Amino acid sequence: MKQNLSLLGATGSIGLQTLDVARRLDLKVCALAANRNVSLLENQIREFKPQLVAVFDLDAAKKLRLAVADTPVRVVQGMEGLCEAASFAPADVVCNAVVGMVGLLPTLAAVRAGKDVALANKETLVAGGALVMAEAKARGVKILPVDSEHSAVFQCLQGCPEKKAVKRIILTASGGPCFGMTKEELAQVTPEQALKHPNWNMGSKVTIDSATLMNKGLEVMEACWLFGLPGEQVDVVVHRESIVHSMVEYQDHSVIAQLGVPDMRIPIQYALTWPQRMASSVEQLDLIKCGTLTFREPDMETFTCLRACRRALERGGLAPAAANGANEEAVRLFLEHRISLPRLGELVTQAMEHQPDVKQIASVDDILNADAAAREFVLRAAN
């Protein structure tokens, strides 16, 4: 089990649940990082007593320095600060729970510093999988999945004798708050309605991604990098109950699944304690109370983000980075009531197709430039 934790995204949904796990496992939190929530960060500093805290927002960093001036903590700022927290020498594991492309550079910083990474930031591998996994392999660093679906696959693969024994991965999707809607109905959905997820407690961006099935498209691309499989060996099924978190089918057609209540503390804890399993405060699964478990095919004609991600995966190169960047910008516009959910999917598709073909990604700058170009495309097309 890891003993010294650096947590990026400490004030978000995954960050708060990670600290709950750390509290119960009595882990040392040596570094924290967040965007701008000064009051919550101050409380976390006083409880966990980290040596280093990174604040992305510069004004918030100044306020935090004043608020914790009576403590020995060192406060750093901006992207440079995030990367310092990610590569902080005392840490033996970095949990990256920030949301969006902002997580890419800190992940690379952690890997290059030889830190194992408990990864909840899917954009890291969607946009920069080739670079991140190559760096991790070269340095012998473990990338441990925190997403419930990828953690489930990781757990189902523990007894796998060899890679060729795997026939396919089956990722489950809750379907989100808009499941079963037509395009016409989807066009009437407000941000407030889309943020009401039936099963999971997540941040706003991830919840909107669940409503559009973009989240599942990103997870398909992430799974390909994590488990070294082509896209045609990663399937998606809608499972409304969110009890089966994902499955692995083997060549003999045996299917192994990981089940549990929908609580992110289960995959978070497993990433931090692997290969051990520890007692948990999470509610025990009662299959009798669950009753029926259902599985359905996703509607990619209505929820076009999943189809766009499949297409980006086929194209490869910088197309996944473009799809991800376009989505981040389009989600912001939707939350500001400036576009509809169907328009969000259209913009992601158009920005991804607008990205020129690239055979090989030369550097992280290529990824960041594709991301920026996709965001600019969305802003122009949405006006």
Side-chain angles (χ1 to χ4, degrees):
M1 184 175 72
K2 306 299 183 184
Q3 297 297 327
N4 296 300
L5 170 67
S6 175
L7 173 60
L8 314 182
T11 59
S13 175
I14 298 298
L16 293 175
Q17 292 175 87
T18 300
L19 288 176
D20 186 51
V21 171
R23 191 180 288 118
R24 293 176 182 278
L25 295 178
D26 197 26
L27 298 181
K28 170 65 177 175
V29 179
C30 59
L32 293 170
N35 184 15
R36 62 165 64 95
N37 192 333
V38 171
S39 60
L40 184 50
L41 261 178
E42 181 184 354
N43 292 337
Q44 293 173 347
I45 289 168
R46 297 191 183 282
E47 177 182 0
F48 292 96
K49 299 176 174 58
Q51 299 164 256
L52 179 73
V53 172
V55 185
F56 191 72
D57 183 87
L58 303 187
D59 289 336
K62 293 178 184 177
K63 292 177 183 177
L64 184 66
R65 286 192 188 96
L66 292 173
V68 297
D70 61 319
T71 75
V73 68
R74 184 163 62 91
V75 178
V76 294
Q77 64 192 33
M79 179 56 73
E80 184 177 341
L82 282 182
C83 291
E84 184 175 351
S87 56
F88 193 46
D92 54 19
V93 63
V94 177
C95 179
N96 188 346
V98 304
V99 177
M101 269 291 289
V102 71
L104 175 59
L105 291 178
T107 298
L108 283 169
V111 169
R112 288 166 179 167
K115 311 294 182 183
D116 288 342
V117 179
L119 189 62
N121 174 259
K122 58 178 60 66
E123 293 85 359
T124 285
L125 294 185
V126 168
L131 295 181
V132 172
M133 297 308 288
E135 294 264 12
K137 183 178 179 180
R139 288 168 171 76
V141 165
K142 298 179 182 66
I143 306 293
L144 300 163
V146 169
D147 272 355
S148 62
E149 296 83 357
H150 300 103
S151 177
V153 172
F154 181 61
Q155 294 178 61
C156 292
L157 289 172
Q158 295 301 298
C160 180
E162 52 188 342
K163 183 179 174 181
K164 66 181 181 181
V166 176
K167 184 173 184 180
R168 62 175 177 149
I169 287 170
I170 307 169
L171 300 177
T172 55
S174 70
C178 303
F179 174 74
M181 290 186 179
T182 64
K183 284 186 178 180
E184 292 72 25
E185 291 169 332
L186 203 62
Q188 303 305 313
V189 172
T190 66
E192 293 74 21
Q193 292 169 325
L195 287 169
K196 294 179 180 178
H197 197 284
N199 300 335
W200 293 98
N201 176 23
M202 305 180 292
S204 59
K205 193 268 182 183
V206 179
T207 305
I208 298 303
D209 284 350
S210 178
T212 63
L213 290 190
M214 182 72 186
N215 202 41
K216 211 51 50 179
L218 297 175
E219 287 172 6
V220 168
M221 292 189 278
E222 184 182 8
C224 293
W225 288 112
L226 279 171
F227 307 113
L229 293 174
E232 55 266 26
Q233 284 183 258
V234 182
D235 288 342
V236 173
V237 298
V238 176
H239 170 56
R240 293 293 284 163
E241 297 79 11
S242 296
I243 297 299
V244 178
H245 297 300
S246 279
M247 298 166 269
V248 173
E249 182 179 359
Y250 289 91
Q251 292 293 343
D252 61 359
H253 294 168
S254 293
V255 178
I256 296 178
Q258 187 264 332
L259 285 69
V261 297
D263 191 315
M264 282 302 300
R265 290 174 295 176
I266 295 175
I268 291 168
Q269 178 167 305
Y270 192 64
L272 296 178
T273 63
W274 178 85
Q276 297 172 280
R277 286 191 184 270
M278 312 291 287
S280 169
S281 62
V282 173
E283 179 186 351
Q284 186 175 359
L285 177 63
D286 187 330
L287 288 172
I288 304 302
K289 288 183 179 178
C290 290
T292 303
L293 302 179
T294 61
F295 303 92
R296 303 178 191 181
E297 186 176 1
D299 178 5
M300 291 198 292
E301 293 302 315
T302 300
F303 298 87
T304 56
C305 283
L306 177 54
R307 186 173 61 191
C309 288
R310 286 284 192 187
R311 170 66 178 148
L313 188 58
E314 291 173 4
R315 292 188 62 204
L318 293 169
N324 178 75
N327 178 66
E328 288 190 28
E329 199 63 37
V331 167
R332 183 181 66 82
L333 295 178
F334 172 71
L335 289 172
E336 293 174 356
H337 296 263
R338 294 169 61 183
I339 62 171
S340 67
L341 277 181
R343 182 62 176 145
L344 188 158
E346 292 171 1
L347 290 169
V348 169
T349 301
Q350 292 166 5
M352 180 273 299
E353 294 289 4
H354 187 72
Q355 167 62 45
D357 286 327
V358 173
K359 292 183 179 180
Q360 188 172 0
I361 300 173
S363 70
V364 70
D365 287 338
D366 290 344
I367 298 168
L368 297 177
N369 289 337
D371 173 80
R375 292 170 189 267
E376 291 173 8
F377 179 94
V378 167
L379 289 175
R380 289 196 307 269
N383 292 329

